[in-house]
Amino acid sequence: MKISARNVFDGTVEAVKPGAVNSEVDIALPGGLKIVATVTNDSVAELGLAAGKAVKAIVKASSVLVLTDGADVKLSARNRLEGTVSAIVEGPVSSSVTIALPSGDSVFATITHEGSIALGLKVGSPAAAIFKAPSVIVGVGI
């Protein structure tokens, strides 16, 4: 299957924490990074999600926020992947920002052009990719 989402991470389920309607799924990525996803309990059962299961964590670039200079910033978003800006493509309305992670993976974000300017983004500058757990789609091989 080919998909339009730019962020596809190979991972392994670390834990599934069930709730009344949704479950939290902790996904370990290479290099010690972690992503948290929130999916329905029905999806947990249908996908057979359990510790040790290989999964894909998928996040659309438009769901990723870019944070700079945020050492003391506290957010409700569960996912924060720290890295370095490796590419910026500026457009009149939107900008595409690539953040290289220490693991060798990259996170892609689509943000407004004004936001890119306000953050002072430059290749080589530190940045974090921020996204909420419900923005993560979990996939498994069939």
Side-chain angles (χ1 to χ4, degrees):
M1 173 188 319
K2 292 183 180 185
I3 59 174
S4 62
R6 305 236 4 239
N7 298 300
V8 180
F9 301 98
D10 290 318
T12 304
V13 174
E14 254 185 6
V16 177
K17 301 169 194 158
V21 176
N22 292 323
S23 292
E24 237 179 45
V25 181
D26 294 340
I27 302 169
L29 304 180
L33 298 175
K34 185 165 88 168
I35 290 178
V36 178
T38 303
V39 299
T40 65
N41 293 333
D42 288 343
S43 292
V44 169
E46 185 176 318
L47 297 173
L49 299 179
K53 177 113 178 168
V55 295
K56 302 260 187 204
I58 302 163
V59 184
K60 289 186 62 70
S62 58
S63 295
V64 177
L65 303 175
V66 176
L67 176 68
T68 59
D69 198 24
D72 296 325
V73 174
K74 294 181 181 179
L75 301 167
S76 63
R78 299 289 306 277
N79 297 294
R80 181 176 181 153
L81 301 176
E82 304 275 348
T84 303
V85 175
S86 61
I88 304 169
V89 178
E90 298 281 355
V93 175
S94 300
S95 296
S96 175
V97 180
T98 306
I99 299 173
L101 304 176
S103 64
D105 286 323
S106 292
V107 182
F108 302 94
T110 302
I111 63 174
T112 65
H113 175 74
E114 286 184 21
S116 173
I117 299 302
L119 290 171
L121 294 178
K122 297 198 180 332
V123 171
S125 62
I130 309 290
F131 50 95
K132 295 176 70 167
S135 296
V136 180
I137 298 167
V138 178
V140 298
I142 49 175

